[in-house]
Amino acid sequence: MWSRPQKAPRQTLTLERIVTEAVALLDEEGVGRLTMRRLAERLDTGSTTLYWHVKTKEDVLDLALDAVFCEVPLPEEADAWDTPVRELMTGWRAALLRHPWSATILDRPLMGPNALQRTESLYETLTTAGFPTPKTAAHALSNYVTGSVIAQVTWQSTDRFVRDRAAQYPSLAEHGLDHDWDTTFAQGLDYLLIGMAQAREGGF
Amino acid sequence: MWSRPQKAPRQTLTLERIVTEAVALLDEEGVGRLTMRRLAERLDTGSTTLYWHVKTKEDVLDLALDAVFCEVPLPEEADAWDTPVRELMTGWRAALLRHPWSATILDRPLMGPNALQRTESLYETLTTAGFPTPKTAAHALSNYVTGSVIAQVTWQSTDRFVRDRAAQYPSLAEHGLDHDWDTTFAQGLDYLLIGMAQAREGGF
DNA sequence: CCATCCACTAGACCATCGATCCAGTGACTG
DNA sequence: CAGTCACTGGATCGATGGTCTAGTGGATGG
């Protein structure tokens, strides 16, 4: 009785396989070409079969997005509060950039277990760091990361377009061209962290 | 000869009318229900007619999004550099929030004339304020606004869902529930501006 | 050993969408 | 008055998300 397997060991097609393959498909061909049929084909099955494991296509996207967050390393404790924060935000950004399609679906609730775990970690760090309003600080940080990733992915995808219009819009060209995205991100993050630290000392 | 009208005065259907109606449709029913057919129907015409004025549906979205940026007031000059910046960012955010569908299409290049004009204004303000790297500062600011709007729209659209899971994920509930979005945004913006000011004095 | 059950699968099918083809239409031009 | 051209619309195409219906095959229980 007790040694009996809990569930049917059938499982030729599992949710996990679906998600893995969906991420692979998204990585290779982008969000515009993710189709239930194409995904099913890659899994050597019919599209109907997918709908037994998943209710809608949006479920697939939600799962794929949360799978990306799984790649974000959870920082260890450190003496300075800003060290783990910087780590978390940098890893967060890196994971999203590794899967550029994720930037275009960041407009959906990040409520997968992996995403929640990262948010939780951020809150915890800020709270133990003594911020009176960790909620505000957490929002500022995650919003900045989200915006940064979207901006970078967008501009990189239209590099050619901008280059053609560089003469017409000089500061547009400067805004999006030959851009060291990493250092710009880090610098902006520093702005935020400096401001946060100063505000905390001021007690608000 | 000179008094002759330049172009054919036919124009029963104009690009302007299309954009206006598209924004109205998006406001009323959201981005998911914007269809070329539905849009054409609202304009009392066939869907084919739209394609004479516009190449693809994406064009319509681009135009609608830029129409939103038209609502962002361009700040006047001021003594303190942060005053016009705060004005511009607040107006930027307000315009996007007035049309929540815009948040879900912020992953496309903001290259309409209205959006460019706002970006230009931001650069100009930061440059005359003496920032050594206005590009970095401008990115930090606009990224923060973008992220903030997306977060707010997303969380507000899933308020019910979060409320149901409040017990299960306490800090999730705190993160997204009963949230004074305006003050949180303003506070985060202050973080940024404080950090930027301090960094400028430090000369980097 | 066999009937039953159920997790799981597949092909046909539906409504809808973005986009195009093709056949006009009517106001202005020369 | 014939011709042009900006402009319009109905029919249509291929693809998509999703459902209906009819299975299939391995484990279960008697």
Side-chain angles (χ1 to χ4, degrees):
Chain A
M1 157 71 194
W2 309 114
S3 61
R4 195 164 41 193
Q6 296 295 73
K7 285 280 181 180
R10 187 74 172 287
Q11 302 275 36
T12 71
L13 182 59
T14 65
L15 241 193
E16 198 184 334
R17 277 190 62 213
I18 293 178
V19 176
T20 305
E21 201 62 37
V23 171
L25 176 54
L26 287 164
D27 284 343
E28 293 172 23
E29 313 197 27
V31 70
R33 309 207 49 178
L34 173 67
T35 296
M36 295 305 268
R37 282 176 236 268
R38 288 173 68 82
L39 181 55
E41 198 178 348
R42 284 177 71 120
L43 290 163
D44 259 323
T45 181
S47 64
T48 315
T49 306
L50 292 178
Y51 284 99
W52 201 94
H53 298 268
V54 138
K55 198 163 191 320
T56 69
K57 180 186 176 183
E58 300 218 323
D59 284 5
V60 178
L61 289 174
D62 283 334
L63 289 166
L65 185 55
D66 198 56
V68 170
F69 277 90
C70 189
E71 297 179 9
V72 181
L74 286 165
E76 298 174 10
E77 307 248 344
D79 294 338
W81 64 274
D82 59 325
T83 306
V85 169
R86 228 182 289 263
E87 265 179 49
L88 183 60
M89 295 297 108
T90 306
W92 188 316
R93 168 174 178 264
L96 293 176
L97 286 178
R98 232 174 285 134
H99 309 279
W101 48 269
S102 65
T104 67
I105 58 173
L106 281 178
D107 59 331
R108 55 181 55 250
L110 302 178
M111 295 193 194
N114 293 315
L116 286 179
Q117 205 176 347
R118 272 70 189 175
T119 306
E120 202 82 29
S121 164
L122 179 59
Y123 265 74
E124 193 185 318
T125 305
L126 294 173
T127 305
T128 59
F131 278 93
T133 55
K135 194 205 289 201
T136 305
H139 263 103
L141 288 165
S142 61
N143 289 348
Y144 173 68
V145 173
T146 302
S148 298
V149 173
I150 292 180
Q152 179 171 347
V153 170
T154 301
W155 286 100
Q156 282 179 343
S157 73
T158 55
D159 195 79
R160 178 63 177 282
F161 181 91
V162 178
R163 214 169 287 277
D164 291 346
R165 280 156 188 74
Q168 195 176 353
Y169 299 107
S171 60
L172 166 67
E174 175 143 1
H175 189 73
L177 242 40
D178 301 325
H179 199 354
D180 185 342
W181 294 99
D182 290 347
T183 55
T184 300
F185 171 80
Q187 183 65 257
L189 185 55
D190 279 343
Y191 290 159
L192 256 185
L193 294 173
I194 292 172
M196 284 168 55
Q198 192 150 323
R200 184 183 55 162
E201 283 170 27
F204 60 96
Chain B
M1 160 68 192
W2 308 113
S3 62
R4 193 164 41 193
Q6 295 295 73
K7 286 279 181 179
R10 187 73 170 288
Q11 302 273 40
T12 72
L13 181 60
T14 65
L15 241 194
E16 199 185 335
R17 277 190 63 213
I18 293 179
V19 176
T20 305
E21 201 61 36
V23 171
L25 176 54
L26 286 164
D27 284 343
E28 292 172 24
E29 314 197 27
V31 70
R33 310 205 50 177
L34 174 67
T35 296
M36 295 305 269
R37 282 175 236 265
R38 290 172 66 82
L39 181 55
E41 197 178 348
R42 283 178 72 120
L43 290 162
D44 259 323
T45 180
S47 65
T48 315
T49 306
L50 292 178
Y51 284 98
W52 202 95
H53 297 269
V54 139
K55 197 161 192 320
T56 70
K57 181 187 175 183
E58 300 217 324
D59 284 5
V60 177
L61 289 175
D62 283 333
L63 290 166
L65 186 56
D66 199 58
V68 170
F69 276 91
C70 189
E71 298 179 9
V72 181
L74 287 165
E76 299 173 10
E77 307 249 343
D79 294 338
W81 64 274
D82 60 325
T83 306
V85 169
R86 227 181 290 263
E87 265 179 51
L88 184 61
M89 296 297 108
T90 306
W92 189 315
R93 168 176 179 262
L96 293 177
L97 287 178
R98 230 175 285 133
H99 307 280
W101 48 269
S102 65
T104 68
I105 57 172
L106 280 178
D107 58 332
R108 55 182 52 250
L110 302 179
M111 295 193 193
N114 293 316
L116 286 179
Q117 204 176 349
R118 271 71 189 173
T119 306
E120 203 81 31
S121 164
L122 179 60
Y123 265 74
E124 192 186 319
T125 305
L126 294 173
T127 305
T128 60
F131 277 93
T133 55
K135 194 207 286 201
T136 305
H139 261 103
L141 288 164
S142 62
N143 289 348
Y144 173 68
V145 173
T146 302
S148 298
V149 172
I150 291 180
Q152 178 170 348
V153 170
T154 301
W155 285 101
Q156 282 179 342
S157 73
T158 55
D159 195 77
R160 178 62 178 283
F161 181 91
V162 178
R163 214 170 286 277
D164 290 347
R165 278 156 190 73
Q168 195 177 351
Y169 299 108
S171 60
L172 165 66
E174 174 142 5
H175 189 70
L177 242 39
D178 301 325
H179 200 352
D180 185 343
W181 294 98
D182 290 348
T183 54
T184 299
F185 171 80
Q187 182 65 257
L189 184 56
D190 278 343
Y191 291 158
L192 257 185
L193 293 173
I194 292 171
M196 284 167 55
Q198 191 149 324
R200 184 184 55 164
E201 283 171 26
F204 61 94

